[in-house]
Amino acid sequence: MFFPPSLNFVYHVFLLFRDAETVNDAIEFVLQNFTEMNKLWVRMQHQGPTREKDKREKERSQLRDLVGKNLHVLSQIEGVDLDVYKETVLPRILEQVVNCKDDLAQHYLMDCVIQVFPDEYHLQTLETLLSAFPQLQPSVDIKTVLSQLMDRLSNYATSSTEVLPEFLQVEAFGKLSNAIGKVIEAQVDMPIVGVITLYVSLLTFTLRVHPDRLDYVDQVLGACVKKLPVKAKLEDSKATKQIVALLSAPLEKYNDIVTALKLPNYPRVMDHLDNGTKKVMAVVIIQSIMKNTTCISTADKVEALFELIKGLMKDVEGTEDDEIDEEDFKEEQNSVARLIHMLHNDDPEEMLKIIYTVRKYIILGGPRRLPFTVPSLIFSALKLVRQLQGQDGEAVGEEVSATPKKIFQILHQTIEDLLSVPSPELALRLYLQCAEAANDCDLEPIAYEFFTQAFVLYEEEVADSKAQVTAIHLIIGTLQRMNVFGVENRDTLTHKATGYSAKLLKKPDQCRAVYACSHLFWVDDQDGIKDGERVLLCLKRALRIANAAQQMANVSRGSGGPVVLFIEILNKYLYFFEKGNPQITSSILQGLIELIKTEMQSDTFASDPSADSFFASTLRYVEFQKQKGGVIGEKYEPIKI
């Protein structure tokens, strides 16, 4: 029986044959020693009784390092240059590795070859080295060894710019791709996770060595797709994780989803993910866009992008509502909403096509998604409206003409779709936003239509009292800023606003809404809207409502109480008094101040520190204006504090 030499003996042989004349003998000796030791190592597995198997495995483990040390010694012999390695060393090693037929030995020795010999040698003998992989035992973990080889080669390629031409010269990508295909064919029982792992390693190699070759990247994705189950989702969680790694690699390398959208096989790989993982991958894609502030600038790219993230865009058949985590759902839809703002093109025609494309996808999202995504689309479209402000035109033939009128038509249809949710408060806000944009474009009929729709929603859909208060103040504030309406249309809208204000459920809410309506009749920057008489009528009406609130036994102190309402109305009087409203006189102000003092000194008044402070601050303001002098000071002079 052959007895393996000790490690010291191997090094002694190495030193003995260092001179040039005997280097071939040294190489031959080490190769022969390697061969015999490996045979012994393999034979030990089958020798002795079964009960001593554990003992033999321990002995084999101890001998393994000594077998591998032979390869390390070979790599250190000065005479083993590239030619010797190519012609003698590598073929002899691979012959022994393949012929030993032992999966443990084959895996270990292939790993040793990759680790101990220089990267340059591997590159120049790549075809020979790769040819051994398909001949290994089916149980050998080839994916790990081959992945290590590709990792070493990619590190070598990026170590110096002078190295890259060598990779092109030896056609490393083609050889690796071909070898992976042969390995997969040879190992018919290789788990799908192993197949995908090999292509992940090849893709990593490609992105590092040939980052400019998108055709190579797509070729890897396409090869992987061919090995995946046809029209089936992956059930193996580890395989799914590798698919995610495969899809994430181009995003991480290029930092640009637009580049990934150029890869035809990218969505084909993604189709093999289960619905949950598709959502995860979609979020990864959106995060990449946000992180790199990537602007998606054409409708075609938007279409391709939304196909990738469609798992977030609509409900999946067979998914129950109780299966969806509410917090995760909100975060996902918020990410889609943010994404819509990253879709932009300075060309109005192309931007309008993008808006059409986005609308096509988000309308399919169902009632749970629309409140998240519709507002983003509306504001994106309004941005285009303001870009086109002042332009007018119609569609010519089949060409889509980007005009404000055309866009407002889309916006109107989109908000109507939102009503199916239903979400009337949100729809009302969006109608008002569109009305204000139409005002800026000087499109009175369109602005009036949006306001009309807002009032219809208020009348028919907004039932909650708190929501009504918020809605009416939004309507009043928006209408105050409008300057496009003629006298008739404006009167109609202001009449409706004041009427709804006076019909709110609670008296304090009525009072505040009515005195807010006074601003609809006196707008500083619009000379034609300064109707002092109607301002006074609003304020008097607010006073009557405040008086009525005082008489009610169930007035809620939490809402401020009637005295606070009087003080608030006083401040409105002071505002219009300073603005020059001739209907607001110092005597009216004096009378209102005395009324408030009387109320606060009455026996029925419950002490309210906030009301006391508010009234005191108002009186100090009046005194300050008197002391300041000038035109305003003279107006305040008759008022006695």
Side-chain angles (χ1 to χ4, degrees):
M1 178 179 291
F2 174 80
F3 293 97
S6 67
L7 184 61
N8 288 334
F9 178 71
V10 174
Y11 274 107
H12 177 72
V13 171
F14 166 55
L15 295 172
L16 182 65
F17 292 108
R18 288 188 64 178
D19 57 289
E21 293 181 359
T22 58
V23 68
N24 290 333
D25 295 332
I27 294 171
E28 181 61 32
F29 177 86
V30 177
L31 283 172
Q32 183 64 30
N33 193 67
F34 161 72
T35 301
E36 296 301 327
M37 290 177 67
N38 188 55
K39 289 179 180 178
L40 172 61
W41 186 34
V42 173
R43 282 200 305 272
M44 287 177 65
Q45 182 181 7
H46 308 287
Q47 294 176 344
T50 305
R51 64 177 180 273
E52 296 181 359
K53 183 177 179 180
D54 292 341
K55 180 181 178 182
R56 289 200 309 274
E57 288 299 321
K58 184 176 180 181
E59 292 173 348
R60 286 194 75 201
S61 178
Q62 294 171 346
L63 184 58
R64 183 187 67 175
D65 293 340
L66 197 55
V67 175
K69 186 60 70 175
N70 283 276
L71 300 182
H72 178 72
V73 169
L74 276 172
S75 69
Q76 300 300 310
I77 297 177
E78 293 182 2
V80 180
D81 56 15
L82 178 58
D83 291 334
V84 173
Y85 177 77
K86 181 188 299 185
E87 299 298 330
T88 304
V89 175
L90 183 60
R92 292 277 296 277
I93 294 173
L94 294 180
E95 179 184 10
Q96 176 58 34
V97 171
V98 172
N99 291 336
C100 75
K101 304 295 183 181
D102 181 78
D103 54 354
L104 180 64
Q106 287 181 337
H107 181 279
Y108 173 69
L109 294 176
M110 290 300 290
D111 183 57
C112 284
V113 171
I114 292 170
Q115 298 299 331
V116 302
F117 289 102
D119 298 326
E120 180 187 0
Y121 288 14
H122 295 324
L123 181 61
Q124 296 301 326
T125 60
L126 190 56
E127 192 167 2
T128 302
L129 181 59
L130 293 174
S131 65
F133 282 94
Q135 303 178 58
L136 302 180
Q137 295 298 104
S139 55
V140 176
D141 184 13
I142 295 180
K143 71 177 187 303
T144 302
V145 182
L146 198 49
S147 296
Q148 289 174 345
L149 173 62
M150 287 186 279
D151 188 54
R152 284 203 61 171
L153 289 176
S154 60
N155 287 334
Y156 176 55
T158 55
S159 63
S160 172
T161 55
E162 299 176 356
V163 176
L164 282 174
E166 296 181 35
F167 280 80
L168 297 174
Q169 186 177 2
V170 301
E171 299 179 346
F173 170 78
K175 292 176 180 178
L176 286 168
S177 181
N178 185 54
I180 289 174
K182 289 182 178 180
V183 165
I184 295 172
E185 290 177 4
Q187 295 199 349
V188 292
D189 295 328
M190 179 183 289
I192 191 65
V193 64
V195 173
I196 303 171
T197 301
L198 282 173
Y199 283 111
V200 170
S201 297
L202 179 59
L203 183 61
T204 303
F205 169 86
T206 306
L207 291 171
R208 296 187 68 183
V209 180
H210 305 290
D212 56 331
R213 293 296 300 267
L214 290 181
D215 55 330
Y216 282 1
V217 175
D218 194 57
Q219 185 177 326
V220 176
L221 297 175
C224 184
V225 168
K226 291 179 181 178
K227 303 300 181 183
L228 295 175
V230 179
K231 295 183 180 179
K233 305 296 187 245
L234 295 173
E235 301 296 337
D236 186 342
S237 61
K238 292 182 179 179
T240 298
K241 187 176 181 180
Q242 288 300 311
I243 285 288
V244 171
L246 190 73
L247 293 168
S248 301
L251 298 179
E252 294 170 358
K253 176 63 180 179
Y254 299 115
N255 292 327
D256 183 7
I257 185 60
V258 175
T259 303
L261 295 177
K262 296 176 182 177
L263 304 170
N265 285 304
Y266 195 91
R268 293 180 61 202
V269 176
M270 198 161 177
D271 283 341
H272 286 273
L273 295 174
D274 60 80
N275 295 325
T277 311
K278 279 183 180 179
K279 287 185 178 182
V280 173
M281 194 63 224
V283 171
V284 170
I285 290 172
I286 294 175
Q287 287 174 344
S288 172
I289 293 173
M290 295 300 166
K291 177 182 176 182
N292 300 292
T293 59
T294 305
C295 178
I296 316 299
S297 58
T298 68
D300 291 342
K301 290 176 181 176
V302 171
E303 181 98 26
L305 172 62
F306 277 24
E307 277 297 312
L308 289 181
I309 65 170
K310 59 187 177 184
L312 299 180
M313 304 296 294
K314 61 181 180 179
D315 291 327
V316 179
E317 293 183 8
T319 303
E320 301 294 335
D321 288 345
D322 56 3
E323 296 178 9
I324 302 173
D325 183 90
E326 193 63 27
E327 290 299 319
D328 290 344
F329 177 80
K330 288 181 179 179
E331 181 56 36
E332 289 168 359
Q333 296 312 303
N334 283 329
S335 67
V336 174
R338 290 191 292 269
L339 172 65
I340 293 173
H341 291 292
M342 303 300 292
L343 315 176
H344 178 71
N345 193 309
D346 290 331
D347 176 28
E349 299 294 332
E350 188 63 33
M351 187 62 204
L352 184 57
K353 292 178 183 178
I354 290 175
I355 290 171
Y356 271 115
T357 303
V358 174
R359 184 179 184 277
K360 179 180 72 174
Y361 278 90
I362 68 173
I363 293 305
L364 300 175
R368 298 186 67 212
R369 290 175 174 80
L370 290 179
F372 293 93
T373 54
V374 164
S376 290
L377 175 60
I378 296 296
F379 284 103
S380 181
L382 289 178
K383 185 177 180 181
L384 177 59
V385 167
R386 298 188 187 282
Q387 180 182 342
L388 297 170
Q389 195 169 311
Q391 298 183 25
D392 194 12
E394 299 295 339
V396 180
E398 296 183 356
E399 293 293 324
V400 179
S401 180
T403 65
K405 287 183 179 180
K406 186 71 176 179
I407 299 167
F408 281 126
Q409 181 181 351
I410 300 169
L411 293 174
H412 194 281
Q413 294 170 352
T414 305
I415 299 175
E416 282 188 339
D417 292 324
L418 182 61
L419 293 177
S420 64
V421 172
S423 184
E425 293 91 348
L426 176 58
L428 186 144
R429 288 172 179 267
L430 295 176
Y431 275 135
L432 294 177
Q433 289 287 341
C434 292
E436 194 166 355
N439 174 82
D440 295 340
C441 293
D442 201 25
L443 297 173
E444 181 180 5
I446 294 176
Y448 188 80
E449 174 62 22
F450 280 120
F451 249 104
T452 301
Q453 292 298 324
F455 278 125
V456 170
L457 272 181
Y458 180 85
E459 291 175 359
E460 299 179 356
E461 303 292 342
V462 182
D464 180 75
S465 60
K466 290 184 178 180
Q468 286 181 338
V469 172
T470 302
I472 199 63
H473 281 281
L474 284 171
I475 289 171
I476 294 169
T478 304
L479 185 55
Q480 181 186 348
R481 295 190 293 272
M482 306 291 281
N483 56 24
V484 71
F485 295 130
V487 174
E488 183 178 350
N489 284 342
R490 187 175 185 88
D491 282 349
T492 301
L493 296 175
T494 52
H495 177 73
K496 280 182 173 292
T498 52
Y500 291 137
S501 298
K503 294 177 182 178
L504 291 172
L505 181 62
K506 297 179 180 180
K507 290 295 182 182
D509 293 334
Q510 289 180 19
C511 179
R512 292 185 173 100
V514 168
Y515 72 58
C517 287
S518 63
H519 290 280
L520 298 178
F521 305 106
W522 191 284
V523 182
D524 285 340
D525 56 357
Q526 298 183 47
D527 293 334
I529 307 178
K530 285 184 171 61
D531 190 338
E533 186 174 347
R534 295 183 72 178
V535 168
L536 183 59
L537 286 174
C538 278
L539 296 179
K540 285 183 176 180
R541 191 174 187 180
L543 274 173
R544 288 197 299 272
I545 296 172
N547 274 318
Q550 182 188 20
Q551 304 303 320
M552 295 174 63
N554 61 349
V555 170
S556 173
R557 292 291 177 184
S559 64
V563 173
V564 171
L565 293 176
F566 287 138
I567 301 170
E568 290 174 4
I569 294 170
L570 171 61
N571 277 268
K572 288 296 176 184
Y573 270 99
L574 294 174
Y575 171 82
F576 289 110
F577 179 66
E578 290 188 9
K579 292 298 181 182
N581 185 337
Q583 303 297 323
I584 310 296
T585 64
S586 59
S587 60
I588 293 177
L589 296 176
Q590 185 71 60
L592 186 52
I593 291 173
E594 296 302 326
L595 172 64
I596 296 171
K597 286 182 177 180
T598 301
E599 290 295 330
M600 296 181 74
Q601 293 169 1
S602 67
D603 295 335
T604 58
F605 176 71
S607 178
D608 186 348
S610 62
D612 294 340
S613 177
F614 188 11
F615 186 52
S617 295
T618 303
L619 295 181
R620 284 198 301 271
Y621 175 79
V622 173
E623 192 64 35
F624 170 75
Q625 293 291 59
K626 289 173 64 176
Q627 294 176 1
K628 190 169 67 172
V631 177
I632 298 297
E634 292 178 1
K635 292 181 67 174
Y636 276 101
E637 191 61 38
I639 301 175
K640 305 300 181 183
I641 302 300

